[in-house]
Amino acid sequence: EVQLVESGGGLVQPGGSLRLSCAASGFTFSSYWMHWVRQAPGKGLVWVSRINSDGSSTSYADSVKGRFTISRDNAKNTLYLQMNSLRAEDTAVYYCARGRLALFDPWGQGTLVTVSS
Amino acid sequence: QSALTQPASVSGSPGQSITISCTGTSSDVGGYNYVSWYQQHPGKAPKLMIYDVSNRPSGVSNRFSGSKSGNTASLTISGLQAEDEADYYCSSYTSSSTSFGGGTKLTVL
């Protein structure tokens, strides 16, 4: 069974940092692009970042560029999102998802990041 | 403000058909055949229902169908069932990124 499990969310103060992880299983992780998508409480989905299969190419939404870094460890079947200089508006459930742009399948269950003092 | 425009809500009775629209521009929906639709139940992760405008992943009911005309994509659900009540989001490829619609809440009356 294809499965994605996020972890690392929590409460952090504005300006702080957090690293999210997404453990993949049930498929050949190193063959797929991976993404992070977030959803603020009661709001819609917003694409955050993507990384290609070998980690050599990344892209980011303008709202997180320069603050967030996506990476992966294909030996550990794990995707990461390093989030620095966090702001209140970064508060959201963060989902990892497999796939190419505009095709995300499946999604993990999400991890909640709350930025507040 | 979302890049793609969806109606905030739609409703229908069991057995009826409904259509949810997703309007973009020639830079996203109109420019590529890379439109997908996701279903999200409260507190759950989104689920892919349609990809590349009109393709259904394995396991998704054939009551769900997608289409596109110009800058507007559409999701049609026929034979509405109570379990279809959820939020639905469209997404489209756009210039090395992905845009989502604001979401549509489907109520089954």
Side-chain angles (χ1 to χ4, degrees):
Chain A
E1 178 195 5
V2 175
Q3 194 169 16
L4 299 171
V5 179
E6 301 94 336
S7 60
L11 176 63
V12 61
Q13 292 188 338
S17 298
L18 211 55
R19 189 177 83 155
L20 306 183
S21 299
C22 169
S25 60
F27 66 101
T28 305
F29 180 71
S30 59
S31 296
Y32 289 88
W33 285 28
M34 296 294 296
H35 304 261
W36 289 99
V37 178
R38 69 184 182 185
Q39 186 171 34
K43 301 297 184 182
L45 302 170
V46 176
W47 175 80
V48 172
S49 182
R50 68 90 179 155
I51 187 167
N52 70 345
S53 57
D54 66 5
S56 63
S57 173
T58 60
S59 64
Y60 300 90
D62 287 344
S63 58
V64 306
K65 202 171 294 183
R67 299 188 299 123
F68 289 12
T69 302
I70 190 172
S71 63
R72 64 192 297 161
D73 185 335
N74 285 343
K76 295 183 177 179
N77 291 341
T78 303
L79 174 73
Y80 302 101
L81 186 67
Q82 177 67 44
M83 303 185 296
N84 299 329
S85 302
L86 282 162
R87 307 165 180 167
E89 54 264 36
D90 296 318
T91 293
V93 174
Y94 284 74
Y95 296 99
C96 65
R98 181 186 74 172
R100 55 171 165 82
L101 285 169
L103 196 170
F104 309 119
D105 181 51
W107 300 56
Q109 87 289 349
T111 187
L112 177 62
V113 172
T114 303
V115 184
S116 175
S117 56
Chain B
Q1 185 175 357
S2 301
L4 307 179
T5 301
Q6 298 180 233
S9 63
V10 298
S11 63
S13 299
Q16 288 186 332
S17 294
I18 63 95
T19 296
I20 300 172
S21 62
C22 171
T23 302
T25 69
S26 58
S27 297
D28 40 58
V29 174
Y32 310 93
N33 287 324
Y34 295 135
V35 176
S36 54
W37 291 89
Y38 301 88
Q39 176 191 64
Q40 186 179 35
H41 288 108
K44 301 295 187 181
K47 174 186 176 185
L48 178 68
M49 305 302 285
I50 295 288
Y51 68 96
D52 295 352
V53 176
S54 60
N55 293 295
R56 252 187 334 272
S58 173
V60 172
S61 171
N62 59 9
R63 297 185 299 105
F64 291 83
S65 62
S67 63
K68 190 184 85 168
S69 177
N71 295 336
T72 299
S74 299
L75 172 71
T76 298
I77 308 174
S78 60
L80 268 181
Q81 299 179 1
E83 68 216 46
D84 298 332
E85 185 162 295
D87 293 326
Y88 290 85
Y89 293 90
C90 64
S91 75
S92 174
Y93 175 86
T94 173
S95 182
S96 299
S97 175
T98 294
S99 293
F100 283 97
T104 298
K105 181 175 180 59
L106 169 62
T107 301
V108 180
L109 303 170

